[in-house]
Amino acid sequence: MVLATVPPTQPKTKPALELSLHELSQVVATCTACRLCDGRIQTVFADGPVTARLMVIGEGPGQQEDEQGLPFVGRSGQLLTQILASGGFHRASQVGMEAANVYIANIVKCRPPQNRAPVADEMAACKPYLEEQIRLIQPALILLAGATAVKGILTPQTAAKAVGITKIRGQWFPTPYVGRDGHPIPAMPIFHPAYLLRNPVEAPGSPKALMWDDIQTVRQELDRRLALE
């Protein structure tokens, strides 16, 4: 296999296109392309089936994710699971791979020290893996949970204009990635669930209330797109 000839200490510009998600996860598990590998317990690849039509991208693993090897399993992950379920989206770690219909991954696959945000070179080292996940899944829609995900996925020109999640959440932006219909996959920035935990008020217009509205918008848009496929 092409990647087997590349020393694991060297950053990879693009994973081999013939890799399946399972094979890609095995490559990621031994990656040493950036400094984050030094402090990890294990890599955190993803949670979800290849058939998922919705993809959620977060920032990076925290302590519990690093320990369990799954994204979004701590308090913020539990809230995200509830929010997704309200829109009819169910995680593989909750209902099993066959019943799941959402794919969850992160900008980086290893936990940054003290849960800090990943820096540019760490994001760049991991980006080929994430791009290959997007290519293999070909989701109809992508949700970007938090500012790091926005910076990592939207084009630099779009991301530069997307100042503040509060101002851009709930809106659709084109990504550089092409879907099954041959058009750019739309992405919606959403509040990171950790932010919602810090702002628990559920009054109309609050971040939490807006997030619940956003997931209903996502449900409607996905249903519309699926009807056209």
Side-chain angles (χ1 to χ4, degrees):
M1 194 170 295
V2 175
L3 281 177
T5 63
V6 180
T9 54
Q10 298 299 315
K12 306 168 185 64
T13 57
K14 190 177 181 66
L17 293 181
E18 70 270 16
L19 292 182
S20 68
L21 280 174
H22 175 68
E23 291 169 329
L24 183 63
S25 71
Q26 293 179 313
V27 173
V28 169
T30 60
C31 179
T32 57
C34 80
R35 67 183 73 85
L36 293 183
C37 69
D38 295 334
R40 75 184 180 215
I41 295 175
Q42 59 189 315
T43 57
V44 178
F45 186 68
D47 180 24
V50 70
T51 55
R53 305 302 287 125
L54 177 67
M55 185 172 186
V56 180
I57 300 175
E59 178 175 288
Q63 179 179 349
Q64 293 185 55
E65 289 77 14
D66 189 28
E67 293 172 350
Q68 298 185 38
L70 286 170
F72 285 101
V73 294
R75 287 184 63 222
S76 63
Q78 294 168 14
L79 178 56
L80 177 64
T81 300
Q82 294 173 9
I83 293 169
L84 290 172
S86 74
F89 302 110
H90 305 290
R91 300 183 55 171
S93 56
Q94 301 292 316
V95 301
M97 197 66 77
E98 291 186 2
N101 59 356
V102 60
Y103 188 88
I104 303 175
N106 281 312
I107 292 293
V108 296
K109 313 302 186 191
C110 298
R111 179 191 179 192
Q114 288 77 53
N115 295 346
R116 64 161 171 78
V119 297
D121 65 323
E122 295 163 352
M123 294 169 64
C126 239
K127 191 167 186 176
Y129 299 133
L130 181 59
E131 290 185 326
E132 185 67 353
Q133 287 174 296
I134 296 172
R135 189 196 71 82
L136 289 166
I137 299 294
Q138 276 198 310
L141 301 173
I142 296 175
L143 299 185
L144 304 175
T148 297
V150 170
K151 294 176 183 177
I153 293 300
L154 299 186
T155 63
Q157 295 84 356
T158 303
K161 297 177 182 177
V163 180
I165 290 294
T166 301
K167 294 182 179 180
I168 62 172
R169 51 130 293 270
Q171 302 177 45
W172 295 108
F173 295 86
T175 70
Y177 311 108
V178 177
R180 299 178 189 179
D181 60 1
H183 298 290
I185 301 172
M188 176 190 286
I190 60 174
F191 292 118
H192 194 285
Y195 175 77
L196 298 179
L197 288 174
R198 297 192 298 269
N199 297 270
V201 177
E202 298 184 11
S206 67
K208 200 166 186 178
L210 293 173
M211 181 66 253
W212 292 91
D213 291 342
D214 288 345
I215 202 65
Q216 300 308 316
T217 298
V218 172
R219 177 76 265 174
Q220 293 168 9
E221 178 62 16
L222 183 58
D223 288 345
R224 186 188 72 80
R225 287 175 173 270
L226 292 180
L228 297 175
E229 289 186 352

